[in-house]
Structure formats: C-alpha cells, structure tokens
C-alpha cells in the first residue's frame, strides 16, 4: 500500500458502503474517487509505475502471459465526462470490502461521520491489483486508510454519476515513474508537503498505526 496525496476526492463512501444502482447488498463497498491533476507530472509518474507493476503481475500470474485485448481499469479520463469539475484530471476509483480507517490532520483516528467528504482534499493509502473474475480482466484500485488534508468546496449535483465513471475511456498510462519512487519512508507531512506524491510505508507520524 502507498499513500498518495493530497488529492481532491469525490463520490466518497467511507462511513457506509454503497452498491452500484440495481445491485444488492453483496455488492456494497466503501469507495471514493481520487482526482489527480494531469499537469502533476511527478504524481502521474508515480501512478504509472504502480499501475504498470499491477499490469505486469496480471500478465505473469493471471492472464496466461498475455495482455488482455480489453482491460477493465480503475483509472479514467475526466476530460471524457460532461462534468466540468473533472476536466483536467485523471479519476482513480478505489474501493474496499472493509471500512477504512479515517484520520484527522493530526493523525488521530476520527469516527465523526462525514469528516471526509466529496470535495475535500485527503491522503489515500491505495494499491493497484490485477484481477480475472468471470472472464473480466483488469486492474482495480483498493484502499485501506484515508487522512483528511484540508477543506474544499463540497461537490453537489454532479452531472456524471458514479456508475457512469466506470464506462469512461481508460487513459492508457505508461510506465514512466520517476527515480526514487517506492522509498520505504513516511508520506510527506500535511502542509508544506514536498514534491514527492506517492510514498510507500506509514503516513506521517503513524509508525505501524496510531496509538
């Protein structure tokens, strides 16, 4: 798992799980969408490296040594939506069967409902994983933890629905991760964070987990 951020988040369901329209309780997941600015070359490079590693793992272990002709992906192009809020962003959808831990900016566990909301900025601890389920092959994004970074304008009445994001075109990330990615150190501190976008290991001040 790697901490990424701070990024603006949308379609946030970290307090209660949500299921796509028309599906039952067994499909409910905790989830959110990370909005990554396209001009953030270093950030995109980190995502490229992590995503390509998952693709390589899928080819080696799940997809019989071949790249699938159609790859289902958790990364979409925000410019392909009708929503102006998503223009200029890559949209990274992440989910979890289990309720993620939510932390405040002081790295304390927070149980206040709605503390992390659609439109705020947050650090998100994610991983990319390949899958092959019922003939569908692709790369999913999963997450364990979210740490609130700062307030942002709340989203409301979005033109693009959460389900429609799944049908947007995949961006075709390339493996261009910069040197130094994957350092086993803490994520940058909130406020005055360095240029590095994704760092592996614990969030700032966490150690294994906060007390």
């Amino acid at each position: 798992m790697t901490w990424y951020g701070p990024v603006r988040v949308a379609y946030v369901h970290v307090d209660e799980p949500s299921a796509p329209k028309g599906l039952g309780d067994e499909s409910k997941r905790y989830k959110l969408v990370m909005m990554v600015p396209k001009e953030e070359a270093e950030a995109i490079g980190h995502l490229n490296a992590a995503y390509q590693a998952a693709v390589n793992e899928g080819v080696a272990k799940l997809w019989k040594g071949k790249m699938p002709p159609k790859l289902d992906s958790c990364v979409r192009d925000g410019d392909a939506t009708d929503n102006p809020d998503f223009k200029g962003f890559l949209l990274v959808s992440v989910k979890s069967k289990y309720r993620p831990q939510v932390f405040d900016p002081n790295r304390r566990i927070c149980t206040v409902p709605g503390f992390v909301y659609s439109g705020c900025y947050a650090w998100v601890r994610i991983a990319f994983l390949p899958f092959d389920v019922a003939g569908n092959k692709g790369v999913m994004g999963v997450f364990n933890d979210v740490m609130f970074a700062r307030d942002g304008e709340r989203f409301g009445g979005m033109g693009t629905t959460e389900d429609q994001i799944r049908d947007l075109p995949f961006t075709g990330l390339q493996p261009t991760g910069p040197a130094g990615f994957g350092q086993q150190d803490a994520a940058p501190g909130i406020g005055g964070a360095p240029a590095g976008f994704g760092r592996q290991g614990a969030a700032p001040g966490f150690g294994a987990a906060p007390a």
Side-chain angles (χ1 to χ4, degrees):
M1 288 281 184
T2 301
W3 285 95
Y4 286 97
V7 293
R8 202 172 186 200
V9 291
Y11 299 117
V12 173
H13 298 277
V14 296
D15 299 317
E16 296 289 341
S18 173
K21 187 176 181 179
L23 298 182
D25 288 347
E26 68 278 3
S27 298
K28 285 186 175 181
R29 297 290 185 273
Y30 297 92
K31 49 193 171 182
L32 57 79
V33 175
M34 301 166 57
M35 299 171 58
V36 184
K38 288 184 177 181
E39 68 268 20
E40 295 289 345
E42 187 172 6
I44 300 302
H46 291 314
L47 287 169
N48 282 334
Y51 188 92
Q52 187 62 37
V55 170
N56 293 342
E57 181 181 353
V59 170
K61 298 181 179 181
L62 297 179
W63 307 330
K64 299 180 180 179
K66 297 180 180 179
M67 176 68 77
K70 181 180 179 181
L71 193 71
D72 188 7
S73 175
C74 59
V75 182
R76 295 290 187 268
D77 186 352
D79 288 339
T81 77
D82 294 328
N83 190 333
D85 290 320
F86 289 157
K87 302 299 182 183
F89 292 90
L90 292 182
L91 307 177
V92 182
S93 299
V94 295
K95 59 186 177 180
S96 174
K97 288 182 64 175
Y98 307 101
R99 184 173 182 173
Q101 289 195 106
V102 176
F103 299 92
D104 69 15
N106 296 315
R107 309 170 185 92
R108 296 173 300 197
I109 293 176
C110 179
T111 59
V112 177
F115 189 78
V116 173
Y117 57 88
S118 295
C120 78
Y121 292 80
W123 289 89
V124 188
R125 189 167 177 249
I126 75 167
F128 292 117
L129 300 175
F131 66 87
D132 185 347
V133 179
N136 297 317
K137 301 176 176 65
V139 175
M140 72 176 72
V142 298
F143 76 121
N144 281 353
D145 309 288
V146 182
M147 183 165 63
F148 179 89
R150 64 179 184 271
D151 285 309
E153 183 178 354
R154 288 181 181 269
F155 286 129
M158 285 181 164
T160 305
T161 69
E162 183 180 356
D163 290 339
Q164 287 171 332
I165 286 181
R166 294 181 300 169
D167 298 324
L168 295 177
F170 173 52
T171 58
L173 292 176
Q174 298 299 316
T176 56
F181 176 79
Q183 299 178 41
Q184 298 294 327
D185 60 358
I190 295 299
F197 181 79
R199 300 293 176 90
Q200 294 191 6
F206 278 42

